[in-house]
Amino acid sequence: MKPVLLVIAHGSRDPRHAATVHALVRRVRSLRPDVRVETGFLDFNIPSVQGVLESLAAEGVRDVVALPLLLTRAFHAKADIPAVLRDAPPRLRIRQAEVLGPSPLLLSALERRLYEAGLTPADKSSTGVVLASAGSTDPEAIAVIADIAREWRHTGWCAVRPAFASAALPRTEDAVRELRALGCAKVAVAPYVLAPGFLPDRIARGAAEADVLAQVLGPAPEVARVLLRRYDAASSARVLLPVSA
């Protein structure tokens, strides 16, 4: 049997977060009906990751791919999730998949959201884009966002600037003003986040002076495809937790 795919989401008090995660998981299931997909949350929502793992073990499941529903490899991917997986029932063989980003498919999803918000491909050369992420204290994660912005700029946009809702600078509103000062005819804000919540709302407020604000990535088909690529790669990776004797 194929390993069970356990999608690990952060969780939020905002009900839109869990609803968006479940919508993405439904899209993943529709793309790969041969794979069992479960969802667990680190905090705030149920079921918890630990609860799902215990239920799977009780059913007799042996192989699990744990996939962090994260765009960058920061604290949750490096510390929180491995700690939870180490406490899983010992009968489970668990492989931790890589985070979703970076990926060319995610850039395609960002553009999808911008076009859905009203831009067209003809607007690219005259539009500056703010790549607005949640932010992190992890230098690796911040550097990845800056690299994505540079890569995206080379696809034809007037300019692309990274911005952060917390923990790092610049803020979304400052990046919007910078693009205005550069002379971009339009300024668009593309939230590089997966689901609504407190920090995405802060990004939206920072986009008040922009011409276009895209929606979060959510259940975009490109996101679901990245998720399945990470699952397939992890399915043949090393086992994180061995089966007990």
Side-chain angles (χ1 to χ4, degrees):
M1 293 180 62
K2 293 180 182 294
V4 172
L5 170 55
L6 172 57
V7 176
I8 301 179
H10 183 275
S12 171
R13 292 186 178 91
D14 189 322
R16 297 173 298 168
H17 174 89
T20 302
V21 170
H22 292 312
L24 174 59
V25 169
R26 285 194 296 271
R27 185 177 288 275
V28 170
R29 289 181 179 134
S30 71
L31 291 175
R32 290 286 292 276
D34 60 319
V35 175
R36 178 177 174 181
V37 187
E38 300 291 341
T39 308
F41 296 89
L42 291 174
D43 207 353
F44 301 116
N45 302 106
I46 55 174
S48 68
V49 176
Q50 187 66 28
V52 175
L53 291 171
E54 290 173 358
S55 294
L56 291 173
E59 290 179 30
V61 170
R62 302 290 270 179
D63 293 295
V64 176
V65 169
L67 192 149
L69 197 60
L70 300 168
L71 294 172
T72 58
R73 191 173 176 273
F75 181 79
H76 291 304
K78 294 177 179 178
D80 283 355
I81 292 174
V84 172
L85 297 182
R86 282 194 294 270
D87 289 336
R91 67 171 285 115
L92 294 175
R93 292 185 294 238
I94 302 178
R95 300 168 176 87
Q96 181 176 333
E98 292 295 329
V99 298
L100 301 183
S103 167
L105 281 171
L106 294 178
L107 288 181
S108 296
L110 287 166
E111 295 205 358
R112 169 190 292 276
R113 293 300 187 227
L114 286 172
Y115 297 148
E116 289 170 349
L119 292 179
T120 70
D123 294 317
K124 289 187 75 167
S125 63
S126 60
T127 301
V129 179
V130 178
L131 179 69
S133 76
S136 174
T137 57
D138 189 311
E140 178 187 347
I142 297 301
V144 166
I145 299 300
D147 288 343
I148 293 171
R150 282 192 293 270
E151 178 183 348
W152 203 15
R153 163 69 182 83
H154 294 312
T155 66
W157 295 101
C158 175
V160 180
R161 294 290 185 271
F164 307 94
S166 68
L169 297 174
R171 295 287 184 257
T172 302
E173 53 268 32
D174 296 324
V176 169
R177 292 171 189 141
E178 180 185 353
L179 291 172
R180 289 275 187 227
L182 283 175
C184 297
K186 291 183 179 180
V187 176
V189 174
Y192 190 60
V193 293
L194 287 166
F198 177 75
L199 293 178
D201 284 349
R202 181 179 290 177
I203 290 171
R205 290 193 297 272
E209 297 179 15
D211 300 292
V212 173
L213 170 63
Q215 295 298 310
V216 300
L217 295 172
E222 297 87 353
V223 177
R225 287 166 57 197
V226 174
L227 198 152
L228 286 169
R229 287 186 182 184
R230 298 291 184 258
Y231 166 81
D232 289 335
S235 293
S236 58
R238 67 181 180 84
V239 174
L240 177 66
L241 295 174
V243 175
S244 60

